[in-house]
């Protein structure tokens, strides 16, 4: 989704305490739409705006940063997640 290595997402999970995905019994991370928006915010700050990790942490704590997600992007993301969920439920049954 963000074209970054999964190790970077795991690193951000350790660095930013606000990102806490749930894990299943196998230890796989389950990201909610809310968690994805948090990661998107971190991505925008660090990768697109050039913030350092400390700068991004300060910006997130001060809440001076708003997530710049257009409505269509959020709607697209939610529909893609629901599609994946439906496929997984279908595989389960």
């Amino acid at each position: 989704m963000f074209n970054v290595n999964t190790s970077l997402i795991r690193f951000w999970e350790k660095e930013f305490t606000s990102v806490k995905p749930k894990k299943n019994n196998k230890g796989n991370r389950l990201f909610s739409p809310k968690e994805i928006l948090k990661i998107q915010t971190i991505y925008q700050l660090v990768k697109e705006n050039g913030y350092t990790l400390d700068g991004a942490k300060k910006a997130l704590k001060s809440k001076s940063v708003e997530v710049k997600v257009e409505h269509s992007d959020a709607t697209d993301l939610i529909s893609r997640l629901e599609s994946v969920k439906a496929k997984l439920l279908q595989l389960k049954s």
Side-chain angles (χ1 to χ4, degrees):
M1 177 180 259
F2 299 107
N3 291 323
V4 297
N5 291 329
T6 53
S7 60
L8 180 62
I9 301 294
R10 289 192 301 267
F11 177 73
W12 286 346
E13 182 183 333
K14 291 177 186 173
E15 289 293 316
F16 296 90
T17 57
S18 63
V19 179
K20 294 180 184 176
K22 294 186 181 198
K23 295 181 183 177
N24 64 11
N25 291 337
K26 291 183 178 181
N28 298 331
R29 288 161 176 78
L30 305 173
F31 292 95
S32 67
K34 194 179 228 182
E35 295 293 324
I36 291 173
L37 287 176
K38 290 176 187 177
I39 292 173
Q40 183 174 18
T41 303
I42 294 167
Y43 178 85
Q44 286 177 346
L45 290 171
V46 175
K47 295 293 187 179
E48 294 176 359
N49 297 341
Y51 280 64
T52 63
L53 291 179
D54 287 334
K57 287 177 190 176
K58 289 176 185 175
L60 289 171
K61 284 184 183 177
S62 69
K63 298 189 181 192
S64 63
V65 177
E66 292 184 23
V67 181
K68 296 178 182 175
V69 180
E70 293 182 20
H71 181 67
S72 62
D73 290 341
T75 305
D76 180 50
L77 175 64
I78 291 170
S79 65
R80 287 177 26 202
L81 288 171
E82 288 174 345
S83 171
V84 169
K85 180 181 177 182
K87 287 178 186 177
L88 290 173
L89 289 172
Q90 187 179 33
L91 287 172
K92 183 179 177 182
S93 50

